[in-house]
Amino acid sequence: MSVTLLSSPLQGFTDFRFRNAFHQSFGGIDTFYAPYIKMNGKMVIKNNYQRDLNPEHNTVPHLIPQVMTNDPDEFLFVIKYIASLGYTELNWNLGCPYPMVTKQGMGSGLICNPMKIDEVLHKAHNESDITISMKMRLGYDEPSEILNVFPILEKYPIKNVAIHARLGKQLYKGGTDLDAFQKCVDQSPHKLYYNGDVTSVQAYRDLQERFPSIDHWMIGRGLIADPFLPQMIKNNTTEYPTNRWQIFKDFHDTIYKQYDEALSGPMPIKMKMLGFWEYFSQSFNDPKKVYKAIKKNGSPRNYVATVNEIFAKQR
Ligand SMILES: Cc1cc2nc3c(=O)[nH]c(=O)nc-3n(C[C@H](O)[C@H](O)[C@H](O)COP(=O)(O)O)c2cc1C
């Protein structure tokens, strides 16, 4: 079976600079999702979202924008905006677990409200011809929540439903609920994509064996922690390329240079790269030691020297 791999969006990580460099250095991803657009009550698309979605900034073969809202007018506003840029699909985020989002009835806090979901989808389908796809958790409190949404989704030509097999209340803690995902497979007539903890080739193989009908897999954190993962899944191998560390370092240097140019002052670039190293460090022999070495760096010059040393030790 041919498999399609999708880069699951991570706000603060998988922007256009990351996506372009990732595609260039590692490949293996068929479709990238941009992190969500959130409007905060104003009909304005903020500059950083505009920059991220600008087709001139994006060199990946397939990019899908995402929105997080529970407001039919905002949803339509974003549809018109992304359509004006030439995009034909909008992904709807019903997965975000953070209380400041869910308490407003957005992200995974919207899954328990099928009527609101219906309202948004009704307006979007009535007033535009954009393709809509969903990204959901199983629910906020209970895995049965998503099952109550399926009959609503059936009313619309939803392209697919990507499911992160956790509850909103779990945040990112605890395991995925594969039995609940199986219930979704059994009960949804929609095309389902699997998402959650695909962190190794073996994890992927186990999931593929358990869910043989799934042929679209979304990878989020695993792809930052081990950027070779998608191409290794595609090539059905657990072998890394012989020049693994050179490729990884070139990728690191590419994004570091771009973020360093884009962010002003030493603190923002330090925090940006530290965020990446929380994941990157997992590819190295002693992740804690690697992360600590990066964290204790004061100046950009020290940072570069430490990174060079970390990679040199791997060769
Ligand atoms: C820091 C961070 C930011 C995220 N941002 C988004 C986002 O913008 N849109 C979205 O749909 N999911 C977002 N997610 C969720 C991931 O896309 C993904 O669904 C989740 O991490 C589970 O998949 P994984 O185990 O492969 O990482 C984010 C997750 C993290 C940890």
Side-chain angles (χ1 to χ4, degrees), residues 8-11 13 35-36 66 93 135 164 166 172 195-198 218-222 279:
S8 197
L10 269 77
Q11 192 73 253
F13 293 89
Y36 60 76
Q66 187 189 62
N93 179 325
K135 180 164 179 285
H164 175 194
R166 276 195 177 83
Y172 291 92
N195 173 234
D197 295 357
V198 179
M218 272 179 120
I219 311 178
R221 294 162 297 171
Y279 294 104

Side-chain angles (χ1 to χ4, degrees), residues 20-305:
N20 294 342
F22 186 94
H23 181 67
Q24 190 92 31
S25 299
F26 305 105
I29 289 291
D30 300 282
T31 295
F32 289 80
Y33 289 85
Y36 60 76
I37 295 176
K38 190 164 175 286
M39 308 281 287
N40 297 322
K42 290 194 199 115
M43 292 299 182
V44 177
I45 307 286
K46 284 199 283 187
N47 283 345
N48 60 326
Y49 299 140
Q50 294 198 28
R51 228 180 350 260
D52 192 44
L53 292 176
N54 183 341
E56 285 176 15
H57 295 169
N58 283 283
T59 55
V60 299
H62 190 206
L63 175 66
I64 300 175
Q66 187 189 62
V67 65
M68 183 159 68
T69 183
N70 57 9
D71 181 86
D73 294 323
E74 275 189 10
F75 199 97
L76 195 63
F77 185 84
V78 174
I79 287 176
K80 287 186 180 153
Y81 174 68
I82 61 139
S84 76
L85 298 178
Y87 295 100
T88 56
E89 176 177 344
L90 181 61
N91 183 260
W92 191 12
N93 179 325
L94 270 72
C96 185
Y98 293 112
M100 64 189 195
V101 164
T102 56
K103 280 189 181 144
Q104 293 173 28
M106 283 189 262
S108 61
L110 183 56
I111 304 173
C112 63
N113 194 345
M115 272 166 65
K116 192 77 184 171
I117 295 170
D118 198 6
E119 216 182 289
V120 172
L121 290 177
H122 181 79
K123 188 171 177 91
H125 285 99
N126 247 19
E127 298 182 32
S128 85
D129 55 8
I130 202 99
T131 298
I132 295 173
S133 59
M134 314 284 293
K135 180 164 179 285
M136 306 178 69
R137 289 202 183 210
L138 298 165
Y140 185 82
D141 276 315
E142 297 294 333
S144 55
E145 289 170 34
I146 194 171
L147 304 178
N148 298 328
V149 179
F150 289 150
I152 300 297
L153 300 186
E154 272 183 59
K155 293 164 61 176
Y156 304 101
I158 300 293
K159 179 179 157 229
N160 66 269
V161 185
I163 301 176
H164 175 194
R166 276 195 177 83
L167 293 170
K169 72 176 180 187
Q170 284 181 266
L171 299 175
Y172 291 92
K173 295 182 212 113
T176 48
D177 186 344
L178 299 183
D179 292 337
F181 183 75
Q182 181 64 56
K183 275 196 187 137
C184 297
V185 172
D186 295 339
Q187 294 189 31
S188 173
H190 281 100
K191 174 91 184 164
L192 299 189
Y193 297 1
Y194 177 87
N195 173 234
D197 295 357
V198 179
T199 50
S200 65
V201 174
Q202 193 53 49
Y204 162 76
R205 285 177 181 161
D206 293 346
L207 286 160
Q208 180 69 90
E209 198 175 302
R210 173 138 183 195
F211 302 110
S213 66
I214 300 295
D215 60 4
H216 283 62
W217 301 85
M218 272 179 120
I219 311 178
R221 294 162 297 171
L223 168 159
I224 307 181
D226 185 356
F228 293 94
L229 180 59
Q231 73 166 253
M232 282 165 45
I233 290 175
K234 280 274 173 73
N235 295 337
N236 193 20
T237 178
T238 51
E239 294 285 317
Y240 287 90
T242 44
N243 54 347
R244 170 183 182 183
W245 297 107
Q246 188 58 50
I247 297 172
F248 202 152
K249 173 143 194 322
D250 289 349
F251 167 73
H252 166 277
D253 293 353
T254 302
I255 60 169
Y256 175 64
K257 186 169 177 286
Q258 291 186 29
Y259 289 124
D260 198 31
E261 279 164 14
L263 300 168
S264 51
M267 210 50 191
I269 182 68
K270 180 180 166 137
M271 296 319 288
K272 186 82 182 171
M273 296 316 293
L274 197 58
F276 279 112
W277 278 99
E278 229 180 294
Y279 294 104
F280 289 166
S281 60
Q282 292 169 37
S283 270
F284 294 79
N285 291 336
D286 189 344
K288 277 195 187 136
K289 199 170 159 196
V290 164
Y291 183 70
K292 238 168 116 183
I294 297 285
K295 196 172 175 186
K296 78 168 196 231
N297 273 293
S299 72
R301 195 183 298 164
N302 280 351
Y303 173 80
V304 171

